[in-house]
Amino acid sequence: MRIVAMIMAGGEGTRLSVLSEKRAKPSVPFAGKFRIIDFTLSNCVNSGIFDVAVLTQYRPHSLNEHIGIGKPWDLDRSRGGLRLLQPYQGRNDESWYRGTSDAIYQNLNFIRERRADLVLILSGDHIYKMDYNDIVATHLRNRCDLTVGVMEVPLDETDRFGIMTTDATDRIIEFTEKPKARDKGQLASMGIYVFNADALIQRLSEGCDDKPRIDFGKNVIPAMVAEDRVYAHRFSGYWVDVGTIQSYWETSMQLLDPQLNFDLFDNEWRIRTRSEERPPAKIGPQAKVNQSIICNGCIIRGTVEHSVLSPGVYVSPGAVVRDSVVMNDTWIGPGAVLDRVIIDKDVVIGAGARVGCGDDFNVPNRLEPDKIMTGVSVVGKAAHIPPGIGVGRNVVINADRDTEDFPGGNVASGETI
């Protein structure tokens, strides 16, 4: 049984605001030392799947550099191993990927060359641990053409997912992509699919103007539900789509809960990543650290409470970091205060600056009211926050902003610089 995994990693991730401005969503740092895609890649190798393709498109440079030839995941192999598949212009149908299934369609030759029996299609932007052998077993037991990984989600979130209805045997009888009404149930697609390779090739090759095959959720799965054997595989473990600022921040804070059913320290299911060689974390004599993740290369001389610090973060004396996510090589000046914020890489927080201040949690961001609205402020990569200023709630500081971009000093809640 030959299984090929294809990871969709070309998404722009617009709901992550400035965090995905210069990188694809799967390349966004998460849980301190990891990238989001590390969880899907690690699931593959931990499941014994070593023939993996990563499909990229939007700003792939950071992702390509991170993955390389796949060595951290034991995917640097002469047989099988890891392949990066990017769109290209050709004489026939080759062009930019128009959707998820179109991306697979343009790479059907990869599946044919591998002589795959099953194709495991995965999303590169979800946080979870899953043994893919379980869903493959469900697929084979039910003699499916397609098996969809599913789980129950809260009713108020069903418009973010493909929602399905099943019969008593878990055969899918209806599939609705991101329904606006709340009447389709709570069984949501996880973006995990197992296809018989022949069925996948046939269905994608049938695409035409009258019968589009551009997107799995909108086109392919609904059509296959009517024509083929399509079953659900139920998953009950921890799984999160960190595709919004709020879900990214909430999930990062959940990692600090000792009761969370998601163990990053599980040696039986190790999450692998490409790591830099850095010295150990250093905690100064006046430092206070409580319920936080502190990565290698950090120097803490101030206070860190309930926060996640990526490698190389420097917290000066008197500085306070609270309920925040701070990414690589950020410098936090003396007396500065970060409260409920997400800070991208290489940011400088001037001495005495207050980022995430005030009680205006319900004032949405003026330019992105549907993305930044829960009190979390976001600072883009390599921005410099001037000393002594106050930055309110739901504020967006774009990448590469410098001190002269703050002519008025303080930044009111809901503003964008």
Side-chain angles (χ1 to χ4, degrees), residues 34-318:
F34 303 105
R35 306 290 184 107
I36 295 174
I37 198 172
D38 292 338
F39 294 85
T40 304
L41 284 170
S42 297
N43 286 339
C44 286
V45 298
N46 289 335
S47 301
I49 298 171
F50 294 95
D51 203 342
V52 179
V54 178
L55 282 67
T56 67
Q57 178 160 283
Y58 172 79
R59 288 193 177 273
H61 310 294
S62 174
L63 187 62
N64 292 351
E65 181 181 2
H66 176 69
I67 294 175
I69 59 174
K71 186 173 183 179
W73 300 272
D74 193 23
L75 289 171
D76 54 332
R77 298 173 173 230
S78 56
R79 300 182 64 181
L82 184 138
R83 285 274 300 275
L84 293 171
L85 302 178
Q86 301 180 19
Y88 58 91
Q89 297 290 326
R91 293 183 178 179
N92 298 316
D93 297 323
E94 300 88 3
S95 63
W96 296 113
Y97 301 148
R98 296 175 295 164
T100 52
S101 57
D102 183 61
I104 299 296
Y105 172 72
Q106 293 194 41
N107 290 286
L108 288 181
N109 280 338
F110 175 82
I111 297 172
R112 295 187 182 103
E113 290 168 1
R114 291 298 197 268
R115 298 180 181 178
D117 299 299
L118 300 180
V119 181
L120 178 64
I121 297 177
L122 308 165
S123 296
D125 52 10
H126 298 153
I127 306 300
Y128 66 112
K129 293 192 287 188
M130 181 180 183
D131 188 343
Y132 297 134
N133 291 298
D134 295 338
I135 190 172
V136 169
T138 298
H139 183 84
L140 297 176
R141 182 173 60 251
N142 291 322
R143 301 189 305 279
C144 304
D145 297 296
L146 164 63
T147 301
V148 182
V150 301
M151 69 180 300
E152 297 276 349
V153 298
L155 190 62
D156 61 353
E157 295 184 14
T158 54
D159 61 344
R160 295 176 51 203
F161 302 96
I163 301 297
M164 60 206 69
T165 305
T166 62
D167 65 14
T169 67
D170 271 345
R171 183 166 183 167
I172 299 173
I173 58 177
E174 184 180 9
F175 185 98
T176 308
E177 179 71 356
K178 299 180 180 179
K180 298 302 180 183
R182 310 291 184 182
D183 59 349
K184 299 297 183 181
Q186 298 172 249
L187 200 61
S189 170
M190 301 169 64
I192 299 172
Y193 313 121
V194 178
F195 283 89
N196 283 346
D198 291 342
L200 176 65
I201 293 171
Q202 179 181 346
R203 292 308 180 201
L204 295 188
S205 299
E206 291 173 349
C208 61
D209 291 340
D210 296 331
K211 196 176 182 181
R213 291 288 191 264
I214 295 172
D215 186 83
F216 282 115
K218 295 177 181 177
N219 310 126
V220 177
I221 297 177
M224 290 189 68
V225 165
E227 301 169 1
D228 300 294
R229 291 179 62 84
V230 182
Y231 279 75
H233 172 81
R234 294 176 182 262
F235 180 72
S236 58
Y238 184 87
W239 177 90
V240 180
D241 177 358
V242 289
T244 67
I245 288 295
Q246 180 64 14
S247 64
Y248 180 90
W249 179 81
E250 284 183 350
T251 306
S252 298
M253 296 299 100
Q254 288 173 2
L255 295 176
L256 306 173
D257 182 355
Q259 303 302 319
L260 180 67
N261 184 28
F262 187 75
D263 186 6
L264 287 174
F265 300 90
D266 182 5
N267 286 326
E268 299 300 317
W269 199 270
R270 187 173 299 166
I271 305 301
R272 309 180 188 205
T273 188
R274 174 178 174 265
S275 295
E276 299 179 27
E277 291 295 334
R278 292 180 183 252
K282 182 177 181 180
I283 310 298
Q286 296 178 325
K288 296 179 181 179
V289 178
N290 179 47
Q291 201 175 352
S292 297
I293 293 174
I294 309 295
C295 289
N296 51 324
C298 288
I299 299 176
I300 312 300
R301 293 182 173 173
T303 299
V304 180
E305 301 176 352
H306 200 256
S307 295
V308 178
L309 272 58
S310 292
V313 173
Y314 182 88
V315 181
S316 298

Side-chain angles (χ1 to χ4, degrees), residues 354-375:
R354 294 162 293 122
V355 185
C357 61
D359 299 322
D360 302 327
F361 291 92
N362 297 321
V363 177
N365 185 267
R366 188 164 51 86
L367 300 183
E368 301 178 276
D370 57 331
K371 302 173 188 175
I372 315 291
M373 56 186 173
T374 59

